[in-house]
Amino acid sequence: MNNTRPFLIFLILFSFNFLNAQPNLIRKFASTPSNFYVHSGKLYFSASEINSNNNELWVYDANNPLSSSNPKMLVDLNDDLSTSSFPKNFVSYNGKLFFRDNTYLYAYNSAEPISLTNPKKIGNNGNGLIVYNNRLYYEEATEYPKSWLWVYDDTQSISSDNPKKLNNDLLINSTSLGFRFSSIVFNNKLYYCGSNSNDGNYELYVYNSNLTISNTNPKKISEINIGNKPSIPKDFTILNNKLYFTANDGTGDELWSYNEVSNPTKAYDLDPNPYGGYFQSKTLYNSKMYFSGHNNNYGTELWRYDGINNPELVADINVGADFSIPKKLTVYNNKLFFNADNGTQGRELWFYDSTIQNSTTNPKSIDVFPGIDSGIDLESDLIEYNGILYFSGRTNSVNIGLFSLNNNDLGLNEYTKILESTVYPNPTTEIVTIESPKESINKINVINSIGQEILTLSPNTNKEVISLKTKGFYFIQIKTDKGAKTVKLIVQ
């Protein structure tokens, strides 16, 4: 009988297991926290305490030990335990944290204690907060279905004129669509999805705060979707000094570019079907734009674009025409992290390394919730904070909350680090010594020839002695703070 194939399969499976990370639970919550944002060295987010549906503003300081008050709820914005505020749209401006809840726009000064005026109510809730030329711009829709572009100057006192509409003329003050204001600052101008009462279509607009407000400032760049239908530009990014965005010219959402010289042009049509190529979650990674794109041959998968050549498929994670729908693309430790669903594990955390070849382990999934259940929600957040990756998810049906992963947890050191460790005698008849002369051993895993983990130790010493009475070969996995190493051991 030829045992080569089963042994190779075992090695492949073992390598997958070897890279599986163990997420660190920071704190449990009633549901997955969201809207992660780092401000003044702390992580802010919205969450609901266990046994509560009250979603409020929380803060975590990684520079201090975990405790019952770290992370902590910073404030109950509406002072009502039965009603959620749902804080979101965080942005740093003038040394303060600005955000909105369901009712108001707030400013929080982290250098001052919480009080009745900190966080301070600035005005009615706004959407899509963005800082441009030391002013805060956002969409305000208290006159729904009309929505206006507003501006706030934090260097001035709050008054009836601050915050204010950019302009009261509907022909000048371009509005947004359904409280989904999308914008970006490019070449010191504010580009956004806008409209006005003259045409009613939602197209690409630009505003230059260095020029006087007029009938041409703000102004529509061009009519991407000709006629009475909107193109709805969104998901903006900048690559090679060009503005890229997703828009619909009547043939579905596709990738468009604008160089401020000629009219916007369609950069690529990924899918000719009416819904288009999607082009969402755009993120720059190693000088290329990575995104979630749709094509009838592959479904919605991970793609990339260099601004010159046609976009290329990075990986068909859910093989065939099914969708993995990569979301929340985030760069950490020179790897691209995201959540996706391969059709067998549920939606989980994934990472991709563009510096090495694609393989069965690149992209690689981290099965946060082992089995078919999802460990990550479609909109679960990812963020790098203090050199560690934080995410919201669940490791089982009750372990729901804020988690962290650092470089060692991810097993990424196995690619580059070799420890000065010794396993002896090898072969052995039973007793074996595992030693790391220069650093303490954090963890030892012993795996038998059929891939079963038969022993796990956390010695936190430089030397450990174990006994293996059953003859055969084993894999000894040794982990320290500086890396990991696997040694094959024979017991005779």
Side-chain angles (χ1 to χ4, degrees):
M1 179 178 177
N2 188 344
N3 291 323
T4 303
R5 182 175 175 82
F7 181 70
L8 287 175
I9 291 173
F10 161 68
L11 285 179
I12 291 171
L13 290 174
F14 173 71
S15 68
F16 282 11
N17 185 55
F18 189 50
L19 289 174
N20 275 352
Q22 296 298 318
N24 303 302
L25 177 64
I26 303 300
R27 187 183 178 104
K28 287 185 179 182
F29 290 99
S31 58
T32 54
S34 59
N35 300 298
F36 293 172
Y37 190 81
V38 175
H39 170 75
S40 295
K42 295 179 182 178
L43 177 63
Y44 293 84
F45 55 94
S46 56
S48 300
E49 180 65 280
I50 293 177
N51 300 321
S52 169
N53 291 320
N54 188 27
N55 188 288
E56 296 295 341
L57 178 60
W58 285 69
V59 62
Y60 171 58
D61 186 353
N63 298 303
N64 289 315
L66 283 171
S67 68
S68 59
S69 59
N70 188 37
K72 68 177 180 180
M73 187 171 74
L74 185 67
V75 62
D76 187 338
L77 292 166
N78 56 22
D79 199 25
D80 183 350
L81 295 177
S82 63
T83 305
S84 293
S85 299
F86 293 108
K88 58 178 73 68
N89 283 177
F90 298 106
V91 65
S92 296
Y93 166 47
N94 200 32
K96 303 181 182 74
L97 179 67
F98 284 76
F99 60 94
R100 75 172 180 97
D101 69 359
N102 288 333
T103 310
Y104 298 104
L105 176 67
Y106 292 88
Y108 169 62
N109 189 341
S110 59
E112 297 180 357
I114 296 293
S115 68
L116 292 175
T117 57
N118 190 37
K120 179 190 293 185
K121 294 176 183 176
I122 302 300
N124 295 316
N125 70 333
N127 186 57
L129 279 61
I130 186 170
V131 177
Y132 165 53
N133 278 354
N134 202 34
R135 302 289 188 275
L136 182 69
Y137 292 82
Y138 56 95
E139 175 194 13
E140 207 260 45
T142 51
E143 299 175 35
Y144 185 84
K146 295 177 183 177
S147 60
W148 301 76
L149 187 58
W150 280 61
V151 58
Y152 172 68
D153 184 350
D154 192 55
T155 66
Q156 304 295 321
S157 299
I158 296 174
S159 67
S160 59
D161 200 40
N162 186 42
K164 66 179 180 179
K165 293 177 183 176
L166 186 68
N167 190 280
N168 285 310
D169 188 345
L170 272 172
L171 290 176
I172 295 175
N173 188 357
S174 306
T175 59
S176 190
L177 174 66
F179 218 44
R180 291 180 293 173
F181 183 65
S182 181
S183 64
I184 193 172
V185 175
F186 174 54
N187 286 343
N188 202 32
K189 303 179 191 71
L190 180 65
Y191 287 85
Y192 60 97
C193 172
S195 179
N196 62 44
S197 61
N198 196 36
D199 57 35
N201 286 345
Y202 299 95
E203 296 287 353
L204 180 64
Y205 273 70
V206 62
Y207 169 63
N208 188 339
S209 66
N210 295 312
L211 301 177
T212 303
I213 293 175
S214 68
N215 288 330
T216 57
N217 187 42
K219 70 174 181 179
K220 180 169 63 177
I221 301 298
S222 71
E223 191 91 356
I224 292 175
N225 199 346
I226 305 298
N228 60 358
K229 293 184 178 180
S231 70
I232 314 177
K234 55 183 176 291
D235 205 31
F236 296 99
T237 194
I238 298 167
L239 175 66
N240 299 335
N241 201 34
K242 283 186 179 180
L243 177 63
Y244 286 90
F245 55 95
T246 301
N248 186 344
D249 66 352
T251 62
D253 281 347
E254 297 292 351
L255 183 65
W256 288 72
S257 69
Y258 179 57
N259 60 9
E260 294 193 312
V261 176
S262 55
N263 286 335
T265 58
K266 187 183 292 187
Y268 195 76
D269 192 334
L270 191 62
D271 194 321
N273 289 288
Y275 39 78
Y278 195 51
F279 286 97
Q280 299 296 302
S281 299
K282 300 182 188 72
T283 301
L284 298 184
Y285 168 51
N286 285 345
S287 301
K288 294 182 180 180
M289 177 201 306
Y290 285 74
F291 62 94
S292 182
H294 183 272
N295 179 283
N296 256 5
N297 295 325
Y298 303 108
T300 304
E301 296 293 348
L302 182 64
W303 292 72
R304 66 184 168 204
Y305 177 58
D306 62 6
I308 301 171
N309 302 295
N310 290 341
E312 59 179 335
L313 180 70
V314 176
D316 189 7
I317 292 171
N318 197 343
V319 179
D322 291 324
F323 299 9
S324 75
I325 314 180
K327 299 280 284 185
K328 301 291 183 177
L329 278 61
T330 303
V331 178
Y332 167 64
N333 193 41
N334 201 32
K335 310 290 185 293
L336 182 68
F337 287 79
F338 53 95
N339 69 61
D341 186 344
N342 66 0
T344 59
Q345 293 174 286
R347 182 159 293 273
E348 297 292 349
L349 189 61
W350 289 71
F351 65 88
Y352 172 70
D353 186 346
S354 70
T355 67
I356 62 176
Q357 289 185 339
N358 287 25
S359 67
T360 55
T361 58
N362 190 42
K364 169 65 182 167
S365 69
I366 299 171
D367 201 358
V368 177
F369 192 150
I372 62 173
D373 293 302
S374 295
I376 306 290
D377 295 330
L378 189 66
E379 296 300 328
S380 285
D381 273 324
L382 293 169
I383 197 169
E384 180 180 353
Y385 165 50
N386 271 18
I388 294 175
L389 185 71
Y390 289 82
F391 69 95
S392 54
R394 56 180 61 80
T395 55
N396 56 50
S397 59
V398 297
N399 227 30
I400 303 168
L402 175 66
F403 293 86
S404 71
L405 286 167
N406 63 37
N407 192 41
N408 291 334
D409 295 326
L410 293 167
L412 300 178
N413 283 340
E414 283 81 348
Y415 288 121
T416 58
K417 302 271 189 182
I418 298 297
L419 305 179
E420 286 193 49
S421 60
T422 305
V423 177
Y424 61 90
N426 189 8
T428 183
T429 55
E430 178 183 343
I431 304 299
V432 60
T433 299
I434 302 165
E435 185 174 5
S436 175
K438 294 186 177 181
E439 51 189 322
S440 178
I441 300 172
N442 297 334
K443 194 170 186 179
I444 297 172
N445 293 323
V446 181
I447 300 169
N448 65 18
S449 59
I450 60 173
Q452 296 173 325
E453 189 175 274
I454 62 170
L455 180 64
T456 298
L457 301 170
S458 299
N460 294 316
T461 61
N462 292 83
K463 183 186 291 188
E464 183 74 13
V465 178
I466 62 174
S467 173
L468 297 171
K469 297 181 179 181
T470 303
K471 294 181 180 180
F473 68 85
Y474 299 83
F475 289 96
I476 312 297
Q477 184 187 104
I478 309 155
K479 290 187 176 182
T480 74
D481 286 338
K482 294 185 178 180
K485 183 175 182 179
T486 301
V487 177
K488 182 179 176 181
L489 172 72
I490 298 174
V491 179
Q492 296 176 332

